[in-house]
Amino acid sequence: MTGRFSIERIEARILDIPTIRPHKLSFGTINHQSPVIVQLWLADGATGFGEAATIGGPSWNEESPESILHAVNAYLAPVLLGQDGGGFGAALARMDAACKGNAFAKSAVEMALIDAVARSLNLPAWQLLGGKRHQSLPLAWTLASGDVGRDLEEAQLRLEQRRHRIFKMKIGARTPEQDVAHVAQIARGLAGRATLTVDVNQAWDGPTARRYLPQLIDAGVSLIEQPVAKWNVEALKTLSATLGDRASIMADETVCTLQDAMALTRAQASHVFSLKVAKHGGLLRTRQVAAVAEAADIGWYGGTMLETSIGSAASAHVFSTLGPQHHGCELFGPQLLVDDIVTERMPIRDFELQLPDGPGFGVEVDRAQLERFDRARAGLTPVHIDFGQRAGTP
Ligand code: MUC
Ligand code: MG
């Protein structure tokens, strides 16, 4: 293939970017993010960037920065070189034929491809993804310092700045009683001024969730994300049926593939899907999962894997094309990092993230920043996560 969109070159690298503070989740604490950045060149000289970020190496799911880098270099790039970059579906099929799973790795490559083709056409990516229906989306912030005082300070500041009024609390690392007390204190401090959600990141079993979720709802929580293990669809179903008139149950780790979306839909096991470009395997597949949700009267939420502004802008572009039944988004990853790799971040105004309308994903990569954080250049040793003392581990 020698056409204008012929794929000429694909390069990937791991960055290590510290976070502004420790970020505590049920499965450990992170102090930096290690996104994989993919750059792709077309024959006409256009270039695009994609990103896949994991949380705590392979702690959130099976993929890690190192596995993503390897999959891109060894299996995905070789089957795309010389192919027509304008055929996004065919490119995905070639990647699937060469490599099972590895959704995060595929998403980073597909993202770079869509950015490159959109830039070559001088169009915003949303125009290649079905057209935008939202110019902005309500933007949540995650309170995960582990300290009530610090969480409340963060929330107050963001309310004053008119940046965020949806706050997600990461729970599940401590005892359920401690978590309920923590959430209740924050809820009292923010009463009437914010929407509160929690993400348990799979930490509870069914009986624990059935016992403690009503207490979180009494405290003021209205959206509950992944309270039980990803396989525990039965518990999700029971929780959705029993708590549905008081709060919404949101699937995150349980809903990755299109088939997961169908299974959850058939089981009537959640009210909302957290959509994430990485876990679905790209922007096009995110739209497919969203279509299943829409058909089943399930809402969507614009999720994050704490990406830099590249992955966050790409996510904003696909989310902008989806329907009206949403709970906002949490594309705050760039703000959690000490610095970014684009020249200008997406603006946040009146509690909403504004969609960047320039060519591609509408953000410009700062090459010096890529060099600055490049793991190979800095010679850094990866230390992904502090597991701390956890129940059930020696
Ligand atoms: C997750 O499971 O949703 C999103 C926000 C955050 O703080 O962690 C992520 C992962
Ligand atoms: Mg989650």
Side-chain angles (χ1 to χ4, degrees), residues 16-21 31-33 336-339 372-373:
D16 290 302
I17 310 179
T19 54
I20 55 171
R21 58 151 165 75
N31 291 289
H32 70 265
Q33 274 296 77
L336 189 66
L337 305 175
V338 292
D339 210 345
R372 176 181 163 203
F373 292 113

Side-chain angles (χ1 to χ4, degrees), residues 296-381:
D297 203 17
I298 289 172
W300 63 270
Y301 177 72
T304 181
M305 287 302 292
L306 308 177
E307 292 93 349
T308 69
S309 282
I310 296 177
S312 301
S315 302
H317 273 256
V318 73
F319 297 154
S320 82
T321 70
L322 304 179
Q325 200 184 337
H326 69 79
H327 294 252
C329 75
E330 58 175 24
L331 298 173
F332 66 85
Q335 298 177 68
L336 189 66
L337 305 175
V338 292
D339 210 345
D340 212 333
I341 53 173
V342 297
T343 53
E344 214 176 308
R345 285 180 174 169
M346 292 182 280
I348 302 166
R349 269 196 303 277
D350 286 332
F351 307 106
E352 303 222 340
L353 181 72
Q354 311 293 320
L355 181 71
D357 261 338
F361 299 127
V363 288
E364 296 309 319
V365 171
D366 181 335
R367 314 290 164 120
Q369 290 289 82
L370 280 187
E371 295 302 317
R372 176 181 163 203
F373 292 113
D374 191 317
R375 177 180 293 179
R377 191 163 179 274
L380 294 174
T381 312

Side-chain angles (χ1 to χ4, degrees), residues 7 9-12 36 38 40 52 63 67-83 90-110 113 281 285:
I7 301 170
R9 189 166 138 212
I10 298 174
E11 282 181 10
V36 179
V38 172
L40 181 149
E63 290 184 72
S67 78
I68 294 167
L69 185 74
H70 183 68
V72 172
N73 287 335
Y75 303 111
L76 304 179
V79 297
L80 293 186
L81 294 177
Q83 298 295 314
L92 284 173
R94 286 185 75 83
M95 290 197 282
D96 286 346
C99 184
K100 296 272 185 292
N102 289 273
F104 281 51
K106 289 171 186 171
S107 79
V109 175
E110 187 230 45
L113 182 59
R285 286 174 174 165

Side-chain angles (χ1 to χ4, degrees), residues 23-25 27 30 55 60 141-144 168 170 199 201 225-226 250 252-253 274 276 301 303-306 330 332 336:
H23 197 63
K24 291 182 194 273
L25 306 96
F27 52 88
I30 56 165
I55 296 176
W60 190 90
W141 173 256
T142 294
L143 300 171
K168 165 163 148 176
K170 291 292 210 181
D199 188 354
N201 280 114
E225 181 172 343
Q226 200 66 49
M250 179 155 78
D252 183 8
E253 287 90 330
S274 173
K276 294 181 179 174
Y301 177 72
T304 181
M305 287 302 292
L306 308 177
E330 58 175 24
F332 66 85
L336 189 66

Side-chain angles (χ1 to χ4, degrees), residues 206-207 209-214 217 224 227 234-249 267-271:
R210 283 197 290 281
R211 176 156 171 211
Y212 290 98
L213 289 186
I217 296 169
I224 295 149
E234 277 305 311
L236 277 182
K237 183 178 169 173
T238 308
L239 294 167
S240 293
T242 52
L243 303 175
D245 53 345
R246 302 184 59 211
S248 298
I249 301 293
Q268 300 189 312
S270 74
H271 307 111

Side-chain angles (χ1 to χ4, degrees), residues 193-262:
R193 290 184 295 154
T195 299
L196 298 180
T197 78
V198 292
D199 188 354
V200 197
N201 280 114
Q202 312 189 63
W204 290 351
D205 55 24
T208 305
R210 283 197 290 281
R211 176 156 171 211
Y212 290 98
L213 289 186
Q215 296 181 32
L216 291 176
I217 296 169
D218 288 342
V221 170
S222 58
L223 181 65
I224 295 149
E225 181 172 343
Q226 200 66 49
V228 293
K230 64 179 286 185
W231 54 264
N232 202 347
V233 175
E234 277 305 311
L236 277 182
K237 183 178 169 173
T238 308
L239 294 167
S240 293
T242 52
L243 303 175
D245 53 345
R246 302 184 59 211
S248 298
I249 301 293
M250 179 155 78
D252 183 8
E253 287 90 330
T254 302
V255 61
C256 296
T257 65
L258 195 53
Q259 291 73 24
D260 294 338
M262 274 307 289

